[in-house]
Amino acid sequence: MLLNIGLIIGGFVVLVFGADWLVKGASRLALSLGMTPLVVGLTVVAFGTSAPELAVSVASAWSGQADLAVGNVIGSNVANILLILGLSAVVAPLVVHQQLVRLDVPIMLGASVLFYTLALDGRISMADGAILAGGIVLYVTFLIRQSRREKSEAVLAEYEGAMESGGSIPMDIVWMVAGLVGLVAGAQMLVEGAVSLARAFGVSELMIGLTVLAIGTSLPELATSVVAAVRGERDIAVGNVVGSNIFNLLSVLGFTGLVSLGQLPVAPAALTLDIPVMLGVALLCMPIFRAGFIVTRANGAFFLLCYAAYIGWLVVDNSGTPPSWMSVSLLSGLIPMAILFTMVSFVRYVSAEKASTSDH
């Protein structure tokens, strides 16, 4: 038991360092070769933040633990919004750029629906993986063109902290290799420890992927968003989370589906509960983000409550005992509460817009 826990903790640590080294070496190398900071941020650094999820999902698929791979992505996307944005907003209200509401959130919703549609037959095939991977190529290409046209300072501010310059090319390559080795080693340790722990406790691999692995591989996003909120950089956290979710759905699931040669099954439990929850959470973002383009502390507290209820439901559902009336009431009550909460947020936004228009 202690060995498995040690493997999980050690795997998380090695993954985080590996991702950091990979981004450091790759971004410095790209800058040395003449790529602009904007392009490096939108490609190398953006992919680097999803590197832990990609490494764990690919390692899980290769090891035959498909539920870990799929659960990791679904759980990470739910945790990114409910846990990471929730904590960040409680620290300080978050600013939402209008472009996120107009473009990125709809793309996140579209990617979620696309994944659900492709997974309805119970697996992610080679063709499905190619479609998802093609989607991330189109998305990044569009972002680069759009950002160059707008000369977006917000994008540069979001990624400049992860980019360094001034290194020698041989050392940059050493950092990249060290990062890749760290990602592979950390992912293997994490998967081995998680699978053994799941078997020891009699918990499903999907449950481990949705909780332990999802939270662990979301640590880079959690650190980035909370630190940004503490420093007053309130516009970075939301973009960081939405972008990460898009990359998880398209690049992580796409490349994992390709690497597994189309042998990536999706569990029935994920189709009936977890993917719909992920879709619902993504849909919840639209009215809340649009309500004044601010994620308030109340929004953050509500996100955290929803995440606690979801994790609680997973624990009860995997315990093998019938859900208690309390857990059923809590989960059932959250649905109308979420609807009411979003309606109030949207009404407040419409009222503020009308008041602003009448003042002018």
Side-chain angles (χ1 to χ4, degrees), residues 4 24 31 39 49 69 79 84 105 198 201 224 227 234 246 248 275 278 284 294 298 312:
N4 293 331
K24 178 180 180 179
L31 291 171
V39 173
T49 59
I84 294 176
V105 174
F201 281 101
T224 300
V227 169
R234 300 185 301 153
I246 294 172
N248 285 347
I275 300 179
M278 182 187 72
L284 190 63
I294 293 287

Side-chain angles (χ1 to χ4, degrees), residues 13 61 73 86 94 99 117 139 147 189 191 209 219 306 308 310 319 328 331 339 360:
V13 172
V73 171
L94 306 176
Q99 178 181 328
T117 303
Y139 176 64
S147 298
M189 292 167 61
V191 170
L219 287 177
C306 289
Y310 173 61
S319 66
V328 172
L331 191 65
I339 295 173
H360 292 296

Side-chain angles (χ1 to χ4, degrees), residues 200-287:
F201 281 101
V203 177
S204 70
E205 292 176 3
L206 180 63
M207 168 72 170
I208 293 292
L210 289 166
T211 54
V212 177
L213 294 190
I215 294 173
T217 53
S218 294
L219 287 177
E221 288 89 347
L222 177 62
T224 300
S225 298
V226 172
V227 169
V230 170
R231 290 177 176 175
E233 299 166 342
R234 300 185 301 153
D235 57 340
I236 290 179
V238 182
N240 179 45
V241 162
V242 174
S244 177
N245 279 14
I246 294 172
F247 272 81
N248 285 347
L249 287 165
L250 298 179
S251 67
V252 176
L253 284 175
F255 293 127
T256 303
L258 291 173
V259 167
S260 64
L261 302 179
Q263 302 302 313
L264 189 65
V266 180
L271 291 171
T272 56
L273 174 65
D274 304 301
I275 300 179
V277 167
M278 182 187 72
L279 277 170
V281 169
L283 187 61
L284 190 63
C285 289
M286 185 63 77

Side-chain angles (χ1 to χ4, degrees), residues 99-109 139 143 242-243 246:
Q99 178 181 328
L100 276 172
V101 177
R102 292 197 317 266
L103 177 66
D104 298 284
V105 174
I107 288 176
M108 180 178 69
L109 274 169
Y139 176 64
L143 279 183
V242 174
I246 294 172

Side-chain angles (χ1 to χ4, degrees), residues 38 146-154 156:
L38 186 62
Q146 185 78 4
S147 298
R148 278 176 170 171
R149 187 180 304 119
E150 297 179 356
K151 300 188 182 301
S152 176
E153 295 298 325
L156 282 173

Side-chain angles (χ1 to χ4, degrees), residues 13-354:
V13 172
V14 176
L15 267 179
V16 171
F17 277 103
D20 182 59
W21 294 339
L22 178 63
V23 169
K24 178 180 180 179
S27 62
R28 285 167 54 164
L29 181 62
L31 291 171
S32 299
L33 295 177
M35 289 178 65
T36 65
L38 186 62
V39 173
V40 173
L42 288 169
T43 54
V44 176
V45 179
F47 273 104
T49 59
S50 293
E53 286 89 347
L54 180 59
V56 169
S57 294
V58 170
S60 301
W62 272 345
S63 303
Q65 278 85 34
D67 285 348
L68 285 179
V70 176
N72 178 37
V73 171
I74 299 171
S76 291
N77 277 24
V78 173
N80 280 347
I81 294 174
L82 297 184
L83 176 62
I84 294 176
L85 277 190
L87 280 175
S88 301
V90 167
V91 170
L94 306 176
V95 176
V96 182
H97 286 291
Q98 291 190 21
Q99 178 181 328
L100 276 172
V101 177
R102 292 197 317 266
L103 177 66
D104 298 284
V105 174
I107 288 176
M108 180 178 69
L109 274 169
S112 302
V113 172
L114 175 62
F115 164 56
Y116 193 22
T117 303
L118 295 176
L120 282 175
D121 61 356
R123 70 188 182 100
I124 298 296
S125 66
M126 283 282 286
D128 297 338
I131 291 172
L132 292 170
I136 197 62
V137 172
L138 292 175
Y139 176 64
V140 170
T141 302
F142 173 79
L143 279 183
I144 291 173
R145 290 181 176 176
Q146 185 78 4
S147 298
R148 278 176 170 171
R149 187 180 304 119
E150 297 179 356
K151 300 188 182 301
S152 176
E153 295 298 325
V155 174
L156 282 173
E158 182 173 346
Y159 292 120
E160 65 181 357
M163 288 185 281
E164 299 181 18
S165 59
S168 65
I169 290 180
M171 278 306 301
D172 295 339
I173 295 174
V174 169
W175 280 115
M176 288 177 60
V177 172
L180 287 171
V181 171
L183 284 174
V184 172
Q188 290 292 347
M189 292 167 61
L190 193 55
V191 170
E192 183 178 342
V195 171
S196 300
L197 198 65
R199 290 171 179 167
F201 281 101
V203 177
S204 70
E205 292 176 3
L206 180 63
M207 168 72 170
I208 293 292
L210 289 166
T211 54
V212 177
L213 294 190
I215 294 173
T217 53
S218 294
L219 287 177
E221 288 89 347
L222 177 62
T224 300
S225 298
V226 172
V227 169
V230 170
R231 290 177 176 175
E233 299 166 342
R234 300 185 301 153
D235 57 340
I236 290 179
V238 182
N240 179 45
V241 162
V242 174
S244 177
N245 279 14
I246 294 172
F247 272 81
N248 285 347
L249 287 165
L250 298 179
S251 67
V252 176
L253 284 175
F255 293 127
T256 303
L258 291 173
V259 167
S260 64
L261 302 179
Q263 302 302 313
L264 189 65
V266 180
L271 291 171
T272 56
L273 174 65
D274 304 301
I275 300 179
V277 167
M278 182 187 72
L279 277 170
V281 169
L283 187 61
L284 190 63
C285 289
M286 185 63 77
I288 288 182
F289 287 1
R290 195 171 177 82
F293 298 98
I294 293 287
V295 182
T296 65
R297 284 192 170 93
N299 296 148
F302 176 67
F303 280 163
L304 291 176
L305 175 63
C306 289
Y307 191 67
Y310 173 61
I311 296 298
W313 180 265
L314 287 179
V315 171
V316 171
D317 188 50
N318 280 267
S319 66
T321 59
S324 65
W325 66 269
M326 186 178 296
S327 60
V328 172
S329 301
L330 179 60
L331 191 65
S332 302
L334 276 175
I335 297 174
M337 189 190 304
I339 295 173
L340 179 62
F341 197 88
T342 52
M343 287 178 62
V344 169
S345 298
F346 192 72
V347 167
R348 286 176 57 196
Y349 162 72
V350 172
S351 300
E353 284 291 298
K354 286 183 177 179

